[in-house]
Amino acid sequence: MLHSTVNQLFEQLVTCEQFLDSCGELMWRDKLREALIVDAAGNEALDLDLLLSYFSQGEAFFELELSSDLGHRVSETTETGANSHLVTLRLDIYYLAQRCRDESNQSIVIISSSL
């Protein structure tokens, strides 16, 4: 069960990173990549505490809005759809990360063995 949740979370993170990259939102793309780590044994892992910290008021990933006025690669016609997609990705990532932490009782989960 946990491996499935970790795999889903990893897939959503990759999708979100690619989406942010395509929109020109490099700061949050890079922050999401920081949650992917290599543990002492050389396994790829996700730092759930770091990832979940991005959803706290201090980091405000929940407040990110894509806008051409802010230099993002979206137009007036695509801005609403892009922001709607971002909201869905963010919620998926948040809830999957919470579920991973609840299921594992750990702040770091291995993804190499779950792919």
Side-chain angles (χ1 to χ4, degrees), residues 51-63 94:
L51 186 57
L52 288 167
S53 77
Y54 297 154
F55 295 91
S56 69
Q57 292 183 351
E59 291 287 348
F61 185 44
F62 267 135
E63 295 176 13
Y94 177 76

Side-chain angles (χ1 to χ4, degrees), residues 33-46:
R33 286 181 180 165
E34 289 173 9
L36 178 63
I37 60 172
V38 177
D39 71 7
N43 298 307
E44 284 189 308
L46 287 172

Side-chain angles (χ1 to χ4, degrees), residues 58-104:
E59 291 287 348
F61 185 44
F62 267 135
E63 295 176 13
L64 173 63
E65 191 166 318
L66 301 171
S67 167
S68 57
D69 293 342
L70 298 173
H72 296 118
R73 289 190 293 270
V74 291
S75 66
E76 286 182 23
T77 56
T78 61
E79 201 170 286
T80 301
N83 280 301
S84 176
H85 185 58
L86 178 60
V87 166
T88 301
L89 287 169
R90 270 194 306 234
L91 287 172
D92 287 348
I93 290 167
Y94 177 76
Y95 288 117
L96 286 166
Q98 286 278 50
R99 205 162 109 202
C100 283
R101 194 165 64 180
D102 291 346
E103 290 175 10
S104 69

